[in-house]
Amino acid sequence: MNILLLTKLLLMERIREPGWYFSAIIYPLVIVTSIYLQSPSGLSVLALTGFVSFVAFINGVSGTGTYLLGRREAGFLNAFVTNSIAQIRYVTAQLISGFIFGVVLTIIYCLILSMLYKIEFQQLIIWIIRSTIMIGIASMLGCALNLLPYKFEIVLGVLNLLFIIFILLTLAEAGRFNHIQYIYGINYFNPVALGMRYIESGKISLLYYLAPLSVISIVVTIRYFSIKTYWNT
Amino acid sequence: MSKICSVNNLGFSYSGITVLENANMTFESGKTYGLLGPNGSGKTTFLELLFNRLDPQAGNVKWRVANIDRFYLKQNITVPNAVTMGEFIEMIFRVNQGNYSEERFMKYLPDAWEEKYKSVRNKRPFNASIGENRFVSVISSLHLDSQFLALDEPTVAMDVSTRNCFWKEIEKRKTLGRSTLITSHYLEEMDGNIDHLVTLKNRELNYFENMGLFKEKYSFGSNNINNAFSNYFL
């Protein structure tokens, strides 16, 4: 019960902070609009699932990892989350709040896409369920950002660059470059592309290495939780 | 009284500057300790070493209480802007104690602080004064009820009545067998409120049985704590 009430506090904190508009609304909308304008005939179903995977991944990572990193750099963790039990409580609540936030946003995006592209209800439910699994994986993977010994701005800069590379490679696979074999190969290391393939086809085997990695990420984060700040180094 | 922490031959330096050398100290339960030193003498560094936020180059700190039963309130605290002061306190309790009830929190709050708490609980940090921000951090730290609590300049920016109530709360902790280590530059308020005095001078940690002895030895007859401080650290 305590964890759930702490989760509620962290969710309220997140909703009140305007920073989430960028990862949750502006970023995905700008990308999907620019891609759409490049292909006026419309986006393929695979590209749509790529977009859903992107929304799930970016919000999963942002909802947990960037918060655990940002709060560390603000000195909050160093001041108030210092013993191991407190750290487990805080990481767990942050993980759940990031997950819930990501799921709600992904459902909203799926509903918008279903209206724009006339996706069947059954298909929509399948997308939402698979996206939820992707958000869980992304949230757990994101926690490990807390361990990076770098300033918030550096990590956020690299992360945004990676998000752009991930979505471009994903849409390349879904669009006109789908015949180029090496893009398909590179995308085995691209979580957004793997998410796209999983959401579209349901092939669970695609998550074989992402799922264990996410579990390792959460275990390592809790074990080596970092409260040291780097903004002043 | 039982020993709850011992500092053994502690040494720390950074960028070629030695901050602390061969420091030894024992903290006991049910005592209030004052830590004195001029600006830059290494008081905060000592607290960071005590609470394992920094790694010493020599010596060690041995605790006899679990790490969940000791708490250190830093000098500069950033209260997240997106939560109210009341939510911030709830967050601190839920993270550190695993439960929270505002009713219970209010019950343990001294009467003098009840109205003050009510007036700040719905404020966001950017709408509150520095003193109110400090007040909220201090009352949450005090009511976490840790066996050992270290407060780095807790009364900075607090008004007189809040400070008076603060010292009464420290006294209450003592009667419950809790220990507190406080740094402050308001020497008059430490005088009479602390049991033992620890000073940091020329990289050395020195122990005085009480503030009276320190005053007697260094105020050169004036019996003034500020004079004693100036003479001692000159």
Side-chain angles (χ1 to χ4, degrees), chain A residues 11 66 134 212 224:
Chain A
L11 266 172
T66 52
M134 278 308 294
Y224 299 101

Side-chain angles (χ1 to χ4, degrees), chain A residues 1-2 5-6 9-10 12-14 16-17 71 74-76 78-87 89-90 227, chain B residues 48 53 67-68 71-74 77-78 80 82-84 87-88 90-92 94-100 124 137:
Chain A
M1 192 62 183
N2 178 61
L5 291 167
L6 182 59
L9 280 175
L10 295 175
M12 285 194 311
E13 183 192 3
R14 178 153 197 212
R16 287 180 197 151
E17 274 182 345
R71 289 282 166 260
F76 179 80
N78 194 297
F80 295 109
V81 194
T82 52
N83 69 65
S84 51
I85 296 171
Q87 288 165 359
R89 285 186 192 124
Y90 191 73
I227 58 171
Chain B
E48 301 262 325
R53 310 289 164 82
N67 69 352
I68 53 165
F71 195 82
Y72 160 40
L73 182 68
K74 292 163 80 82
I77 296 295
T78 316
V83 293
T84 64
E87 288 165 349
F88 174 68
E90 182 179 349
M91 199 183 275
I92 300 311
R94 293 209 176 282
V95 169
N96 286 284
Q97 264 195 351
N99 58 62
Y100 178 74
R124 302 267 283 270
S137 305

Side-chain angles (χ1 to χ4, degrees), chain A residues 31-80:
Chain A
I31 285 175
V32 79
T33 310
S34 44
I35 301 293
Y36 182 79
L37 292 174
Q38 292 297 310
S39 51
S41 56
L43 294 172
S44 66
V45 172
L46 192 59
L48 287 181
T49 55
F51 176 69
V52 172
S53 170
F54 177 70
V55 171
F57 191 75
I58 192 173
N59 283 295
V61 171
S62 305
T64 54
T66 52
Y67 269 77
L68 290 175
L69 183 75
R71 289 282 166 260
R72 184 194 79 188
E73 289 304 282
F76 179 80
L77 303 184
N78 194 297
F80 295 109

